[in-house]
Amino acid sequence: MRVVSTRILLLVLACTGSLIQRAASEPLAMRQAQLQRVWKENLLKSDGVTGGLPEVGKVDIMGRHVQPVRATESPRLTTAYYFNQKTDHFGLNLSTFKQKIYINAQHYTYGGPVYLLNSGETPASTSYLTGGEPYTLAKATGGLLIIMEHRYYGTSYPVSDMSGRNMVYLTVENALEDMANFIRNAQSFVKTIVGVTISPDSKWVATGGSYSANLATWMRLKYPELVHAAYASSAPVRAEDDFYQYDQVVGQALPCAQSIADAVSTLDLILDSRNRTLINSWKQACGLGALKDDADFAGALTDQMSNTVQYYMPTESGDAIATLCSWFSRTQNNPLQNLADMMAAYVRSNNIDVVNAYTSNAGADITDLYQDGRSWFYQTCTQFGYWQTAPRPPLRRLRSRYMTAEWQSRPCRAFFGDAVPPQPDTAGINERYGGLMPNVTRVVFVNGLLDPWSSLSLPADPMAVLKATTQGQNAVITMPRASHVSDFYFAPTYTEFGVDVARRQILDAIVNFLGQER
């Protein structure tokens, strides 16, 4: 297995031409969405991922011996189909748009389950048709795999541009109803498109990783008559506008956390001094001299450590966490100098345009379509928050106290004007969908405990886990040394941190749920 390090990921972004021009000029949440998309696709293309669980064979869910139903014309898996979706499920806009769909019916046995994967905050990719856990489950259980592109991502846009007034149809509620509307019409759609008849006995399983795992969970909550079970990998089901817990998990994962905390404390004293000569000298030392705003400067220093932990992969050829912390083993320097040297090397080796990459409002006036990061930023501005803030005393913090929710939400108005509320409606999301206590059954929740997002998922609250697993109603699976959506994308040969064990537990749980009556 090759390592997909943060450095390699940034190099991939830098080589994607127009993508980096858009992604670089976006706030933190937008840059992370772009990075996550490239990271996922690289993992799915890496050696061994497409093989699924080795030698697992078909699981005979219904106790029958049946053969796979083949598509009449064996269409190429890369063929994109388009479903006529309503623009506004709950309002007066009666227009429709073309929502991209991919289908893999190669392993479907009549009566087998149907796995629906909403692509979430990334474009739909054909890579998921032959790799990753949803594919593994479909292959193992004689299932049909369907990938739906989320509205406002990829090429599935119901509007002509991304100005604030045109973003109003991008809501969780519309996204969930997109999935429900498709399920209601799937039999005729799939029969027409690929010539496969979905049995009325087939049970639907919603799947997803990260935000799309939220959608999978909430489909089971809101549409239990349509969705029989769900598989949710790294689902941050609690919306949070003051997401300081992210920093705490990063600190727990890094052996050099105290040195970074010491460096950041010194940096904040320098920023507090308002001594422009001193502040500018440290900006130069970090390779960030072109940044005007001090909070943007402080925020830039979090990128490398956050991405290293969130996308952590222990391998025989190297350990990204150990590599990062090696910068702080240089005792001849003080911690801030080590942090500055590390950041400068990061910027230099990845050839980062720091003004476009780290200036909060850069690109606010660009309203052209096909900006996935802009779509995700809108969702954080309106419903989720997810602002990664600095913990307050007495908690240790690895990011500057200048990283406040106010600083991270400030660009919302610059990008979308009055179309966004003063604060995201996190309370409303948590009230409607249950936060850490969703009232659901037959959901497989999976988390890596090194994942900073796990603090907004069920393992963060022992009572939530206890409630979820009472009488086997749900399954909660954790991997102590794994991080974000590790089970969803990594090959089963990753034995270093329990992904292979987790994926077998996922299969067992799904098979158990499929055997239950509706």
Side-chain angles (χ1 to χ4, degrees):
M1 281 302 159
R2 59 180 180 269
V3 181
V4 186
S5 67
T6 301
R7 179 171 181 269
I8 292 175
L9 287 167
L10 266 292
L11 286 172
V12 171
L13 281 175
C15 293
T16 56
S18 60
L19 170 61
I20 193 63
Q21 293 302 316
R22 295 196 302 270
S25 59
E26 297 164 343
L28 179 62
M30 300 171 70
R31 295 197 304 274
Q32 288 181 333
Q34 297 288 2
L35 182 62
Q36 178 158 303
R37 178 180 68 80
V38 176
W39 173 79
K40 290 176 180 178
E41 290 183 352
N42 274 275
L43 285 176
L44 284 170
K45 294 173 184 176
S46 65
D47 299 336
V49 174
T50 58
L53 287 172
E55 306 301 329
V56 77
K58 285 285 191 298
V59 176
D60 193 359
I61 302 296
M62 306 300 293
R64 297 189 298 264
H65 296 285
V66 290
Q67 296 299 318
V69 177
R70 301 300 181 186
T72 54
E73 298 180 358
S74 298
R76 295 176 58 193
L77 291 181
T78 55
T79 301
Y81 308 104
Y82 295 90
F83 179 74
N84 285 327
Q85 190 63 266
K86 297 179 181 179
T87 297
D88 185 8
H89 293 287
F90 307 102
L92 300 178
N93 187 335
L94 302 180
S95 66
T96 62
F97 69 100
K98 302 294 186 182
Q99 190 163 34
K100 184 182 290 184
I101 302 291
Y102 290 115
I103 300 173
N104 184 346
Q106 291 182 345
H107 304 290
Y108 180 60
T109 59
Y110 192 75
V114 182
Y115 296 90
L116 178 60
L117 167 60
N118 187 303
S119 67
E121 72 275 32
T122 60
S125 171
T126 56
S127 300
Y128 303 116
L129 292 175
T130 55
E133 187 64 4
Y135 166 75
T136 296
L137 292 172
K139 182 179 179 181
T141 60
L144 178 70
L145 177 59
I146 299 175
I147 299 170
M148 166 185 281
E149 190 164 72
H150 196 294
R151 59 172 55 214
Y152 286 83
Y153 292 89
T155 60
S156 298
Y157 282 87
V159 293
S160 58
D161 66 56
M162 302 184 74
S163 57
R165 69 180 183 277
N166 277 344
M167 301 299 289
V168 296
Y169 307 116
L170 178 53
T171 65
V172 168
E173 289 70 31
N174 269 328
L176 293 173
E177 184 58 28
D178 283 348
M179 298 169 72
N181 187 39
F182 176 80
I183 293 173
R184 296 186 194 104
N185 293 278
Q187 279 189 312
S188 60
F189 181 82
V190 173
K191 177 66 175 178
T192 300
I193 292 299
V194 296
V196 169
T197 300
I198 298 176
S199 167
D201 293 329
S202 290
K203 296 172 180 177
W204 286 74
V205 180
T207 72
S210 197
Y211 161 57
S212 69
N214 287 0
L215 297 178
T217 303
W218 298 338
M219 281 299 295
R220 177 65 189 142
L221 174 69
K222 292 296 183 179
Y223 300 95
E225 75 283 4
L226 298 177
V227 174
H228 181 79
Y231 158 50
S233 173
S234 299
V237 289
R238 177 176 172 79
E240 180 63 73
D241 52 2
D242 184 12
F243 186 17
Y244 69 89
Q245 300 96 327
Y246 186 101
D247 187 84
Q248 290 186 295
V249 179
V250 171
Q252 293 166 7
L254 294 175
C256 56
Q258 189 56 52
S259 294
I260 297 175
D262 292 341
V264 169
S265 293
T266 303
L267 174 68
D268 279 351
L269 292 175
I270 292 171
L271 295 178
D272 290 344
S273 74
R274 301 293 188 267
N275 183 326
R276 298 316 311 171
T277 300
L278 182 60
I279 292 171
N280 290 337
S281 69
W282 279 104
K283 287 183 180 180
Q284 291 290 343
C286 293
L288 302 170
L291 294 181
K292 303 296 184 183
D293 186 86
D294 291 346
D296 288 346
F297 163 53
L301 297 175
T302 68
D303 262 9
Q304 187 173 7
M305 62 181 177
S306 295
N307 291 330
T308 295
V309 174
Q310 181 166 322
Y311 303 115
Y312 177 62
M313 292 169 51
T315 68
E316 294 180 359
S317 59
D319 188 301
I321 287 178
T323 299
L324 183 148
C325 283
S326 68
W327 285 94
F328 297 92
S329 64
R330 304 182 304 166
T331 56
Q332 70 273 23
N333 294 335
N334 63 56
L336 181 55
Q337 185 63 60
N338 286 333
L339 179 62
D341 291 346
M342 182 182 74
M343 187 67 200
Y346 182 67
V347 170
R348 185 171 56 252
S349 63
N350 294 296
N351 195 29
I352 297 174
D353 180 346
V354 298
V355 174
N356 285 328
Y358 299 122
T359 300
S360 295
N361 290 347
D365 58 345
I366 302 174
T367 60
D368 299 340
L369 296 181
Y370 315 122
Q371 300 181 72
D372 304 312
R374 189 182 184 96
S375 296
W376 179 242
F377 187 50
Y378 178 82
Q379 291 191 265
T380 62
C381 289
T382 54
Q383 293 191 297
F384 295 130
Y386 292 150
W387 314 129
Q388 295 161 23
T389 57
R392 264 74 72 193
L395 299 175
R396 183 175 66 182
R397 56 186 175 84
L398 275 63
R399 58 194 65 213
S400 167
R401 63 171 173 268
Y402 283 74
M403 291 192 67
T404 62
E406 187 279 329
W407 168 70
Q408 296 192 62
S409 64
R410 187 175 60 193
C412 291
R413 288 300 177 95
F415 275 76
F416 306 112
D418 293 337
V420 295
Q423 300 293 331
D425 185 26
T426 55
I429 287 290
N430 292 330
E431 180 180 355
R432 288 192 293 276
Y433 303 109
L436 293 179
M437 297 277 191
N439 187 23
V440 293
T441 60
R442 293 201 289 262
V443 178
V444 185
F445 295 98
V446 189
N447 287 92
L449 297 186
L450 287 190
D451 178 13
W453 293 93
S454 65
S455 54
L456 296 183
S457 195
L458 268 68
D461 186 341
M463 291 302 297
V465 174
L466 180 62
K467 177 184 176 183
T469 57
T470 298
Q471 296 179 341
Q473 294 184 96
N474 301 286
V476 178
I477 301 169
T478 57
M479 299 168 291
R481 291 292 296 167
S483 195
H484 198 56
V485 292
S486 300
D487 52 293
F488 204 75
Y489 303 105
F490 288 173
T493 52
Y494 270 85
T495 58
E496 296 91 339
F497 52 152
V499 172
D500 56 334
V501 174
R503 294 182 82 176
R504 293 189 182 280
Q505 292 174 334
I506 294 165
L507 177 61
D508 289 344
I510 289 295
V511 168
N512 177 41
F513 293 155
L514 289 173
Q516 297 176 13
E517 297 294 327
R518 283 187 170 92

